[in-house]
Amino acid sequence: KNMNNQIQSFFNSFYTESLAPNLLQKKLEKEIKPICESMNIAKIAVSANTTDSIYDKGISVKNYVLYEKMFSMGDDVVSIHQNIPNVGNSTFSAYCVKKSTWSEDEKSDISFLLQLIYVLFSRSRMNKMLLRAQETDTLTGALNTAGIIRLGNMIAEKKLLQRFTVVFFNIKKFRQINDVVGSKNGDVILSSYVKMTTNFLGKDGSIARLGGDNFVTIVKSYRLGDYLKFLENVRITVDCEGAKKTAIINVKAGIAQGNPMVQVYEQLMGCAATAFKVAKSSQLENFVFFKPEMMQRR
């Protein structure tokens, strides 16, 4: 308990300060030494990887040493792992001093320390993946609404929005698919659908789940034709109590292409949502492109 209080006090001294990421990291490296010495920690190392996104290049850090007592590392190791689908992973590890071992209580304290360091690193550039996690849909690994808006705003800030198209869509008759395969397999289908879309778009686009079976993608306009073809008749097979069942996924979609007149991502997404409403009410058209006169129908 005393050790936990010491660790918590150490954590609070950082978290209540508003430091730039590089200054936070330097202070952490300096002031963690007394904690490590009192806990017989010889070394703390961090590894992290993030995947490439439509706009951000992934990062890779291997065995970044946060603290090290030279030539004093033993065999005991405590590690915590974080894995976020379609975002990346990280590992924080503490190594015991030479010729020492940790009790189970001490290992628990060290794990607690590593968890707090993980939280602190969420404020650093090296672990920007932790910020991405807040913008990720937990069921499918797609971006959530906050994530796609952040991404769109980043593109807009670089004056590149006119090179992109937003597709706002809903999976047709997904409730019926759920009734046939069951809700658990319905979740599997959604996750598989996101994975297939992510693989198809690669670095040229990104998908977000807005909730339920509603999605939005932002894609480089030169890939739009291929992407619309991809959206037709996506097939996903699931195991229903030993029987294989294939769901055929089609969508109703509203499409808004970037142009010099649109400088704000939310505006482009709103145009796509308006076109989607037209598509949803149409008996003939699955894909509807936004036209300015649609705004008058709202």
Side-chain angles (χ1 to χ4, degrees), residues 6-250:
Q6 183 182 359
I7 295 170
Q8 187 69 61
S9 177
F10 165 80
F11 173 78
N12 288 340
S13 71
F14 283 88
Y15 203 73
T16 53
E17 289 194 42
S18 180
L19 295 174
N22 60 327
L23 295 178
L24 178 93
Q25 191 167 316
K26 287 180 180 178
K27 181 179 177 181
L28 186 60
E29 291 174 7
K30 179 181 178 181
E31 298 196 16
I32 201 171
K33 182 178 178 181
I35 294 283
C36 290
E37 288 178 346
S38 66
M39 300 179 76
N40 284 332
I41 296 173
K43 179 179 177 180
I44 293 179
V46 182
S47 296
N49 294 282
T50 67
T51 57
D52 289 347
S53 73
I54 182 176
Y55 193 76
D56 289 330
K57 183 174 176 59
I59 58 172
S60 180
V61 179
K62 187 174 182 181
N63 290 326
Y64 174 83
V65 177
L66 187 63
Y67 167 81
E68 186 170 24
K69 188 175 182 180
M70 297 299 291
F71 312 115
S72 184
M73 197 162 66
D75 296 326
D76 266 2
V77 183
V78 173
S79 296
I80 63 167
H81 308 280
Q82 302 290 339
N83 184 39
I84 307 164
N86 297 326
V87 177
N89 58 76
S90 65
T91 300
F92 289 70
S93 299
Y95 300 82
C96 189
V97 298
K98 198 171 183 179
K99 297 181 180 179
S100 295
T101 57
W102 289 316
S103 68
E104 291 305 312
D105 285 344
E106 287 171 330
K107 288 181 179 179
S108 178
D109 289 339
I110 291 164
S111 180
F112 178 52
L113 174 65
L114 295 177
Q115 291 285 351
L116 294 183
I117 293 173
Y118 172 80
V119 173
L120 288 174
F121 264 82
S122 68
R123 301 169 69 183
S124 75
R125 292 187 183 94
M126 190 174 75
N127 255 7
K128 65 181 180 180
M129 58 180 291
L130 305 181
L131 299 179
R132 272 197 218 169
Q134 299 173 14
E135 300 170 348
T136 302
D137 175 59
T138 55
L139 175 64
T140 64
L143 294 175
N144 57 22
T145 303
I148 198 70
I149 289 175
R150 182 191 72 86
L151 174 60
N153 286 336
M154 288 175 62
I155 293 170
E157 286 170 6
K158 294 294 184 180
K159 310 297 183 185
L160 297 173
L161 195 57
Q162 61 184 297
R163 301 182 187 179
F164 287 81
T165 295
V166 173
V167 182
F168 193 111
F169 67 94
N170 170 267
I171 296 176
K172 293 171 65 175
K173 299 180 181 179
F174 188 72
R175 185 173 296 177
Q176 294 179 22
I177 293 173
N178 248 347
D179 290 341
V180 172
V181 302
S183 60
K184 288 186 178 180
N185 274 325
D187 290 346
V188 172
I189 287 172
L190 291 177
S191 296
S192 298
Y193 188 78
V194 165
K195 185 175 181 180
M196 291 171 68
T197 302
T198 300
N199 290 339
F200 177 81
L201 293 175
K203 298 178 184 179
D204 294 328
S206 191
I207 183 169
R209 179 172 177 247
L210 306 182
D213 53 2
N214 297 305
F215 294 86
V216 65
T217 49
I218 183 167
V219 56
K220 290 180 180 177
S221 294
Y222 84 93
R223 290 287 310 276
L224 180 62
D226 289 340
Y227 178 53
L228 294 183
K229 289 179 183 178
F230 167 84
L231 285 173
E232 296 180 326
N233 298 315
V234 174
R235 295 173 178 267
I236 299 174
T237 301
V238 292
D239 190 333
C240 297
E241 298 179 351
K244 300 291 184 181
K245 294 186 178 180
T246 299
I248 301 174
I249 308 296
N250 285 288

